[in-house]
Amino acid sequence: MNAPFPSPLSANPDLEAKPARRVIPIATAKPMGHNRTQKKRIAFQLAFFTLFILAPVFDILRYDLDAGHAWLLGMEWRLGMDDFVAGRIGALEAGANVMLRLFVPILVGAAAFLWVSWKWGRLYCGWLCPHFSVVETINKLMQKASGKPSVWIREPLPPWKADGTPWRADARWWLIVVPAAAFFAFLWAVVFLTYLLPPAEVYGNLVGGTLTRNQTIFLTAATCALSVEFLFARHLFCRYACAVGLFQSLAWMSNRNAMVVGFQRKRAADCANCLPDRQSACDAVCPMRLTPRNIKRLMFTCTQCAQCVEACEQSQRANPQGPLLQWVSNEAARQNEAGFRSGKER
């Protein structure tokens, strides 16, 4: 409010009215509708997962160890060092080739990637990353089997969906959890190998049962390691070990205007009856096991998947004031963080 409401004090010149505190409300985003955002996000994840598998097959991106050069968009990508070794070009020209063909594309791509992260956060993780799509898939399967999305969580999740309908865990889902983790691990191992060797050779040897000794060792070791990771350390890897995610988070944290999940703290009491037994729907759905209503620095690994936002929409669908969580940015993002600080001071 830019000016205080009229007060009887204004009629008395001896009394001086205190100026009203200027409040900038957190702007709310227009609700996307039930599951509309998640359908879009899953479509992006499926498309990028497909690209991840097929990129080596169509020479969109891969490095051929046998040929000693990379492939990019169907064309051979060489650094020009063969001409230098053969004496056809000098050291200066060879250095320029390496700079223009290797370092410049990497730096430009990294700059664009970090700019997106600086403005919108870990969108790559939540909307594209093939690893995170596996994380979410196995999380949901494990939750159906045990009531918990991870073996490291002590207490099971609330037995309620965001819309208030009950659900129950069923141990028979374990018959799908373990094979799914092993399947994804083997698929990833094969795809990784096609990024290093000709895909026709890898898939041909796999189908014909003629894998070489080195190929067999690689696929076996990678499948075992990834199976353990998918079963026991999925979101832990995303939170603590993924360098791609770390740099996105650092860029995001450096921008106070970046997009965040905003929380209307003045309506925090509405969270008390979000689910039966005084539990919160947004906490239950976060695949990174974060508390979405928290301050930004404690949401360091947020992937902007918007599952908490949509869970809040569903749980508050009968509330005329609407949901308490929404994506905010710019001044609204600053005020969202200021609200946490002022609340702590009070």
Side-chain angles (χ1 to χ4, degrees):
M1 293 180 293
N2 295 325
F5 290 104
S7 170
L9 295 176
S10 60
N12 190 340
D14 296 328
L15 295 177
E16 196 173 334
K18 294 183 179 180
R21 179 181 296 177
R22 183 172 179 265
V23 178
I24 300 177
I26 296 177
T28 59
K30 185 178 180 180
M32 294 290 293
H34 178 61
N35 284 336
R36 186 184 303 177
T37 301
Q38 294 309 310
K39 290 179 180 178
K40 290 182 179 179
R41 193 173 68 89
I42 292 173
F44 275 103
Q45 287 180 319
L46 289 174
F48 198 82
F49 199 96
T50 303
L51 178 62
F52 167 70
I53 295 174
L54 297 180
V57 176
F58 295 101
D59 293 330
I60 297 175
L61 177 65
R62 70 181 180 91
Y63 185 84
D64 194 327
L65 290 176
D66 292 341
H69 64 79
W71 288 85
L72 181 64
L73 301 178
M75 300 178 292
E76 294 185 5
W77 188 264
R78 299 176 183 271
L79 297 181
M81 296 303 295
D82 293 340
D83 292 335
F84 175 70
V85 173
R88 291 189 291 269
I89 60 175
L92 185 61
E93 186 175 354
N97 286 339
V98 173
M99 179 63 68
L100 293 175
R101 300 179 186 181
L102 180 62
F103 291 108
V104 170
I106 290 176
L107 291 175
V108 171
F113 183 76
L114 291 176
W115 179 82
V116 171
S117 305
W118 179 82
K119 191 170 180 65
W120 292 293
R122 293 176 65 164
L123 284 184
Y124 170 77
C125 292
W127 290 68
L128 297 177
C129 178
H131 179 271
F132 193 70
S133 60
V134 174
V135 169
E136 291 188 274
T137 300
I138 299 180
N139 274 6
K140 292 175 182 177
L141 293 175
M142 191 171 290
Q143 181 177 335
K144 291 181 178 181
S146 64
K148 302 183 296 183
S150 171
V151 296
W152 306 114
I153 297 178
R154 295 181 178 180
E155 299 295 331
L157 296 182
W160 310 92
K161 297 180 181 179
D163 59 5
T165 57
W167 67 273
R168 293 180 58 186
D170 188 338
R172 289 175 294 182
W173 279 96
W174 282 111
L175 299 176
I176 298 178
V177 174
V178 177
F183 167 76
F184 282 118
F186 179 72
L187 176 62
W188 271 56
V190 173
V191 173
F192 281 155
L193 192 58
T194 62
Y195 274 90
L196 301 174
L197 296 176
E201 174 187 338
V202 174
Y203 288 117
N205 291 350
L206 186 63
V207 172
T210 57
L211 292 170
T212 66
R213 179 176 179 273
N214 290 337
Q215 292 171 356
T216 302
I217 293 175
F218 177 89
L219 292 178
T220 302
T223 299
C224 292
L226 288 169
S227 295
V228 172
E229 196 267 337
F230 286 153
L231 284 172
F232 300 105
R234 297 179 306 282
H235 68 279
L236 297 178
F237 174 84
C238 294
R239 293 184 67 173
Y240 303 115
C242 179
V244 176
L246 173 64
F247 283 110
Q248 288 180 91
S249 293
L250 291 175
W252 179 57
M253 292 294 294
S254 67
N255 181 13
R256 294 178 61 191
N257 292 326
M259 184 177 70
V260 297
V261 175
F263 174 52
Q264 299 186 33
R265 288 181 58 81
K266 292 183 178 180
R267 296 175 51 206
D270 290 344
C271 293
N273 58 359
C274 177
L275 292 179
D277 304 324
R278 303 179 67 85
Q279 297 164 318
S280 299
C282 59
D283 295 347
V285 299
C286 179
M288 295 294 280
R289 313 315 311 146
L290 303 175
T291 303
R293 295 166 292 165
N294 222 325
I295 194 169
K296 182 178 178 180
R297 63 182 176 84
L298 298 179
M299 294 288 291
F300 182 78
T301 55
C302 174
T303 61
Q304 309 290 24
C305 69
Q307 294 188 62
C308 60
V309 175
E310 292 206 351
C312 188
E313 288 181 7
Q314 294 178 41
S315 64
Q316 300 293 328
R317 65 192 182 281
N319 191 331
Q321 298 185 66
L324 290 84
L325 296 180
Q326 59 278 317
W327 271 338
V328 296
S329 58
N330 299 320
E331 182 61 25
R334 288 174 175 266
Q335 292 300 318
N336 182 68
E337 295 302 296
F340 279 98
R341 291 193 295 272
S342 62
K344 184 177 181 180
E345 291 171 359
R346 289 194 295 270

Short mmCIF file of all heavy atoms in Angstrom, two decimals, residues 266-305:
data_model
loop_
_atom_site.label_atom_id
_atom_site.label_comp_id
_atom_site.label_asym_id
_atom_site.label_seq_id
_atom_site.Cartn_x
_atom_site.Cartn_y
_atom_site.Cartn_z
N LYS A 266 1.85 -15.56 5.13
CA LYS A 266 0.73 -15.09 5.94
C LYS A 266 -0.40 -16.10 6.00
O LYS A 266 -1.25 -16.04 6.89
CB LYS A 266 0.22 -13.76 5.39
CG LYS A 266 1.19 -12.60 5.56
CD LYS A 266 0.59 -11.31 5.07
CE LYS A 266 1.54 -10.14 5.29
NZ LYS A 266 0.97 -8.86 4.82
N ARG A 267 -0.39 -17.02 5.04
CA ARG A 267 -1.44 -18.05 5.01
C ARG A 267 -0.90 -19.41 5.44
O ARG A 267 -1.45 -20.45 5.09
CB ARG A 267 -2.03 -18.15 3.61
CG ARG A 267 -2.77 -16.89 3.14
CD ARG A 267 -3.21 -17.07 1.70
NE ARG A 267 -3.94 -18.32 1.54
CZ ARG A 267 -4.01 -18.99 0.39
NH1 ARG A 267 -3.41 -18.52 -0.70
NH2 ARG A 267 -4.69 -20.12 0.31
N ALA A 268 0.18 -19.41 6.19
CA ALA A 268 0.82 -20.67 6.56
C ALA A 268 -0.12 -21.59 7.33
O ALA A 268 0.05 -22.82 7.30
CB ALA A 268 2.07 -20.39 7.40
N ALA A 269 -1.10 -21.01 8.00
CA ALA A 269 -2.04 -21.85 8.77
C ALA A 269 -2.83 -22.78 7.86
O ALA A 269 -3.28 -23.85 8.29
CB ALA A 269 -3.00 -20.96 9.56
N ASP A 270 -2.99 -22.41 6.59
CA ASP A 270 -3.72 -23.29 5.67
C ASP A 270 -2.98 -24.59 5.41
O ASP A 270 -3.58 -25.57 4.96
CB ASP A 270 -3.94 -22.57 4.33
CG ASP A 270 -4.94 -21.43 4.45
OD1 ASP A 270 -5.66 -21.39 5.46
OD2 ASP A 270 -5.00 -20.58 3.55
N CYS A 271 -1.66 -24.60 5.67
CA CYS A 271 -0.88 -25.82 5.45
C CYS A 271 -1.17 -26.87 6.53
O CYS A 271 -0.88 -28.05 6.33
CB CYS A 271 0.62 -25.51 5.46
SG CYS A 271 1.17 -24.51 4.07
N ALA A 272 -1.73 -26.42 7.66
CA ALA A 272 -1.97 -27.35 8.77
C ALA A 272 -3.00 -28.40 8.42
O ALA A 272 -2.94 -29.53 8.90
CB ALA A 272 -2.39 -26.58 10.02
N ASN A 273 -3.96 -28.05 7.58
CA ASN A 273 -4.99 -29.02 7.19
C ASN A 273 -4.88 -29.36 5.72
O ASN A 273 -5.87 -29.70 5.07
CB ASN A 273 -6.38 -28.46 7.50
CG ASN A 273 -6.63 -27.13 6.80
OD1 ASN A 273 -5.77 -26.62 6.11
ND2 ASN A 273 -7.83 -26.59 7.00
N CYS A 274 -3.66 -29.28 5.18
CA CYS A 274 -3.43 -29.59 3.77
C CYS A 274 -3.81 -31.04 3.47
O CYS A 274 -4.48 -31.33 2.49
CB CYS A 274 -1.97 -29.32 3.44
SG CYS A 274 -1.48 -29.72 1.76
N LEU A 275 -3.34 -31.95 4.31
CA LEU A 275 -3.69 -33.37 4.22
C LEU A 275 -4.21 -33.84 5.58
O LEU A 275 -3.94 -33.20 6.60
CB LEU A 275 -2.47 -34.21 3.82
CG LEU A 275 -1.90 -34.04 2.42
CD1 LEU A 275 -0.68 -34.94 2.23
CD2 LEU A 275 -2.94 -34.37 1.36
N PRO A 276 -4.92 -34.93 5.61
CA PRO A 276 -5.31 -35.49 6.92
C PRO A 276 -4.08 -35.75 7.78
O PRO A 276 -2.97 -35.95 7.27
CB PRO A 276 -6.03 -36.78 6.54
CG PRO A 276 -6.54 -36.54 5.15
CD PRO A 276 -5.51 -35.68 4.49
N ASP A 277 -4.26 -35.75 9.08
CA ASP A 277 -3.17 -35.96 10.04
C ASP A 277 -2.17 -34.82 10.04
O ASP A 277 -1.00 -35.00 10.40
CB ASP A 277 -2.44 -37.29 9.77
CG ASP A 277 -3.37 -38.48 9.78
OD1 ASP A 277 -4.32 -38.48 10.60
OD2 ASP A 277 -3.17 -39.40 8.98
N ARG A 278 -2.59 -33.63 9.57
CA ARG A 278 -1.77 -32.42 9.62
C ARG A 278 -0.43 -32.60 8.91
O ARG A 278 0.63 -32.28 9.43
CB ARG A 278 -1.54 -31.97 11.07
CG ARG A 278 -2.83 -31.72 11.84
CD ARG A 278 -2.55 -31.29 13.26
NE ARG A 278 -1.93 -29.97 13.31
CZ ARG A 278 -2.59 -28.84 13.30
NH1 ARG A 278 -3.91 -28.84 13.23
NH2 ARG A 278 -1.97 -27.69 13.37
N GLN A 279 -0.47 -33.12 7.71
CA GLN A 279 0.72 -33.32 6.90
C GLN A 279 0.62 -32.46 5.64
O GLN A 279 -0.46 -32.01 5.27
CB GLN A 279 0.88 -34.80 6.54
CG GLN A 279 1.10 -35.68 7.77
CD GLN A 279 0.85 -37.16 7.48
OE1 GLN A 279 -0.09 -37.51 6.80
NE2 GLN A 279 1.71 -38.00 8.01
N SER A 280 1.76 -32.24 4.99
CA SER A 280 1.82 -31.32 3.86
C SER A 280 2.05 -32.08 2.56
O SER A 280 2.98 -32.89 2.46
CB SER A 280 2.94 -30.30 4.05
OG SER A 280 2.72 -29.53 5.21
N ALA A 281 1.22 -31.78 1.57
CA ALA A 281 1.32 -32.45 0.27
C ALA A 281 2.60 -32.09 -0.45
O ALA A 281 3.22 -32.92 -1.12
CB ALA A 281 0.11 -32.10 -0.59
N CYS A 282 3.04 -30.82 -0.34
CA CYS A 282 4.22 -30.39 -1.08
C CYS A 282 5.48 -31.09 -0.60
O CYS A 282 6.37 -31.42 -1.39
CB CYS A 282 4.39 -28.87 -0.98
SG CYS A 282 4.56 -28.24 0.70
N ASP A 283 5.58 -31.34 0.72
CA ASP A 283 6.75 -32.05 1.23
C ASP A 283 6.81 -33.49 0.71
O ASP A 283 7.89 -34.03 0.46
CB ASP A 283 6.72 -32.09 2.76
CG ASP A 283 6.83 -30.71 3.38
OD1 ASP A 283 7.18 -29.77 2.64
OD2 ASP A 283 6.57 -30.57 4.58
N ALA A 284 5.64 -34.11 0.56
CA ALA A 284 5.59 -35.52 0.19
C ALA A 284 6.00 -35.77 -1.26
O ALA A 284 6.53 -36.82 -1.58
CB ALA A 284 4.19 -36.07 0.44
N VAL A 285 5.76 -34.79 -2.16
CA VAL A 285 5.96 -35.06 -3.58
C VAL A 285 7.34 -34.67 -4.08
O VAL A 285 7.72 -35.05 -5.20
CB VAL A 285 4.90 -34.33 -4.43
CG1 VAL A 285 3.51 -34.81 -4.08
CG2 VAL A 285 5.01 -32.82 -4.27
N CYS A 286 8.12 -33.92 -3.31
CA CYS A 286 9.42 -33.45 -3.80
C CYS A 286 10.37 -34.61 -4.04
O CYS A 286 10.72 -35.34 -3.10
CB CYS A 286 10.05 -32.47 -2.81
SG CYS A 286 11.67 -31.86 -3.36
N PRO A 287 10.84 -34.83 -5.28
CA PRO A 287 11.74 -35.97 -5.55
C PRO A 287 13.13 -35.79 -4.97
O PRO A 287 13.87 -36.76 -4.82
CB PRO A 287 11.79 -36.01 -7.08
CG PRO A 287 11.48 -34.62 -7.51
CD PRO A 287 10.52 -34.08 -6.50
N MET A 288 13.51 -34.54 -4.62
CA MET A 288 14.82 -34.28 -4.03
C MET A 288 14.75 -34.27 -2.51
O MET A 288 15.75 -33.98 -1.85
CB MET A 288 15.35 -32.94 -4.54
CG MET A 288 15.63 -32.91 -6.03
SD MET A 288 16.97 -33.99 -6.52
CE MET A 288 18.38 -32.98 -6.08
N ARG A 289 13.58 -34.58 -1.96
CA ARG A 289 13.36 -34.64 -0.52
C ARG A 289 13.68 -33.31 0.15
O ARG A 289 14.32 -33.25 1.21
CB ARG A 289 14.16 -35.77 0.14
CG ARG A 289 14.10 -37.11 -0.54
CD ARG A 289 12.70 -37.54 -0.96
NE ARG A 289 11.70 -37.40 0.11
CZ ARG A 289 10.44 -37.06 -0.11
NH1 ARG A 289 9.99 -36.82 -1.32
NH2 ARG A 289 9.61 -36.97 0.91
N LEU A 290 13.20 -32.21 -0.45
CA LEU A 290 13.35 -30.88 0.11
C LEU A 290 12.03 -30.44 0.75
O LEU A 290 11.01 -31.08 0.59
CB LEU A 290 13.74 -29.88 -0.99
CG LEU A 290 15.01 -30.20 -1.79
CD1 LEU A 290 15.20 -29.20 -2.90
CD2 LEU A 290 16.23 -30.23 -0.88
N THR A 291 12.09 -29.31 1.47
CA THR A 291 10.89 -28.72 2.02
C THR A 291 10.57 -27.48 1.19
O THR A 291 11.21 -26.44 1.36
CB THR A 291 11.09 -28.31 3.50
OG1 THR A 291 11.50 -29.47 4.24
CG2 THR A 291 9.82 -27.77 4.09
N PRO A 292 9.62 -27.55 0.26
CA PRO A 292 9.41 -26.47 -0.71
C PRO A 292 9.05 -25.12 -0.10
O PRO A 292 9.20 -24.09 -0.75
CB PRO A 292 8.26 -27.00 -1.57
CG PRO A 292 8.34 -28.48 -1.44
CD PRO A 292 8.78 -28.72 -0.03
N ARG A 293 8.57 -25.09 1.14
CA ARG A 293 8.19 -23.82 1.75
C ARG A 293 9.35 -23.13 2.44
O ARG A 293 9.18 -22.15 3.15
CB ARG A 293 7.07 -24.08 2.77
CG ARG A 293 5.78 -24.57 2.15
CD ARG A 293 4.84 -25.13 3.21
NE ARG A 293 5.36 -26.35 3.80
CZ ARG A 293 4.92 -26.90 4.92
NH1 ARG A 293 3.95 -26.32 5.58
NH2 ARG A 293 5.44 -28.02 5.38
N ASN A 294 10.56 -23.62 2.20
CA ASN A 294 11.72 -23.12 2.91
C ASN A 294 12.39 -21.98 2.16
O ASN A 294 12.06 -21.66 1.02
CB ASN A 294 12.73 -24.25 3.15
CG ASN A 294 13.31 -24.20 4.54
OD1 ASN A 294 13.52 -23.13 5.10
ND2 ASN A 294 13.58 -25.37 5.09
N ILE A 295 13.40 -21.37 2.81
CA ILE A 295 14.16 -20.28 2.22
C ILE A 295 15.01 -20.80 1.07
O ILE A 295 15.36 -22.00 1.02
CB ILE A 295 15.03 -19.60 3.30
CG1 ILE A 295 15.56 -18.27 2.81
CG2 ILE A 295 16.15 -20.53 3.74
CD1 ILE A 295 16.20 -17.44 3.93
N LYS A 296 15.39 -19.92 0.16
CA LYS A 296 16.04 -20.32 -1.08
C LYS A 296 17.35 -21.07 -0.84
O LYS A 296 17.63 -22.06 -1.51
CB LYS A 296 16.30 -19.08 -1.94
CG LYS A 296 16.94 -19.38 -3.30
CD LYS A 296 17.11 -18.12 -4.11
CE LYS A 296 17.80 -18.40 -5.43
NZ LYS A 296 17.97 -17.17 -6.23
N ARG A 297 18.16 -20.62 0.10
CA ARG A 297 19.46 -21.27 0.29
C ARG A 297 19.31 -22.70 0.80
O ARG A 297 20.24 -23.51 0.66
CB ARG A 297 20.32 -20.45 1.25
CG ARG A 297 19.78 -20.32 2.66
CD ARG A 297 20.69 -19.44 3.50
NE ARG A 297 20.17 -19.21 4.83
CZ ARG A 297 20.35 -20.05 5.85
NH1 ARG A 297 21.04 -21.17 5.68
NH2 ARG A 297 19.84 -19.77 7.03
N LEU A 298 18.15 -23.02 1.40
CA LEU A 298 17.89 -24.40 1.80
C LEU A 298 17.19 -25.19 0.70
O LEU A 298 16.93 -26.38 0.87
CB LEU A 298 17.05 -24.42 3.08
CG LEU A 298 17.70 -23.79 4.30
CD1 LEU A 298 16.78 -23.86 5.51
CD2 LEU A 298 19.04 -24.46 4.61
N MET A 299 16.91 -24.51 -0.41
CA MET A 299 16.36 -25.17 -1.60
C MET A 299 17.42 -25.21 -2.70
O MET A 299 17.11 -25.16 -3.89
CB MET A 299 15.13 -24.39 -2.08
CG MET A 299 13.96 -24.42 -1.12
SD MET A 299 13.16 -26.02 -1.07
CE MET A 299 12.42 -26.06 -2.70
N PHE A 300 18.67 -25.30 -2.30
CA PHE A 300 19.81 -25.20 -3.21
C PHE A 300 19.72 -26.16 -4.38
O PHE A 300 20.12 -25.84 -5.50
CB PHE A 300 21.10 -25.45 -2.41
CG PHE A 300 22.36 -25.33 -3.20
CD1 PHE A 300 22.88 -24.08 -3.50
CD2 PHE A 300 23.05 -26.46 -3.63
CE1 PHE A 300 24.06 -23.96 -4.23
CE2 PHE A 300 24.22 -26.34 -4.35
CZ PHE A 300 24.73 -25.10 -4.65
N THR A 301 19.20 -27.36 -4.15
CA THR A 301 19.15 -28.37 -5.20
C THR A 301 17.77 -28.51 -5.84
O THR A 301 17.49 -29.53 -6.48
CB THR A 301 19.59 -29.74 -4.63
OG1 THR A 301 18.77 -30.07 -3.50
CG2 THR A 301 21.04 -29.71 -4.19
N CYS A 302 16.93 -27.51 -5.68
CA CYS A 302 15.60 -27.55 -6.31
C CYS A 302 15.74 -27.67 -7.82
O CYS A 302 16.51 -26.93 -8.45
CB CYS A 302 14.82 -26.29 -5.95
SG CYS A 302 13.24 -26.13 -6.78
N THR A 303 14.99 -28.59 -8.42
CA THR A 303 15.08 -28.83 -9.87
C THR A 303 13.96 -28.14 -10.64
O THR A 303 13.81 -28.38 -11.84
CB THR A 303 15.02 -30.33 -10.15
OG1 THR A 303 13.77 -30.86 -9.68
CG2 THR A 303 16.17 -31.07 -9.48
N GLN A 304 13.17 -27.30 -9.99
CA GLN A 304 12.08 -26.58 -10.65
C GLN A 304 11.11 -27.54 -11.36
O GLN A 304 10.57 -27.23 -12.42
CB GLN A 304 12.63 -25.57 -11.67
CG GLN A 304 13.70 -24.64 -11.13
CD GLN A 304 13.17 -23.62 -10.14
OE1 GLN A 304 12.14 -23.83 -9.51
NE2 GLN A 304 13.87 -22.52 -9.99
N CYS A 305 10.88 -28.69 -10.75
CA CYS A 305 10.00 -29.67 -11.37
C CYS A 305 8.53 -29.30 -11.20
O CYS A 305 7.66 -29.87 -11.88
CB CYS A 305 10.26 -31.07 -10.81
SG CYS A 305 9.75 -31.29 -9.08
#
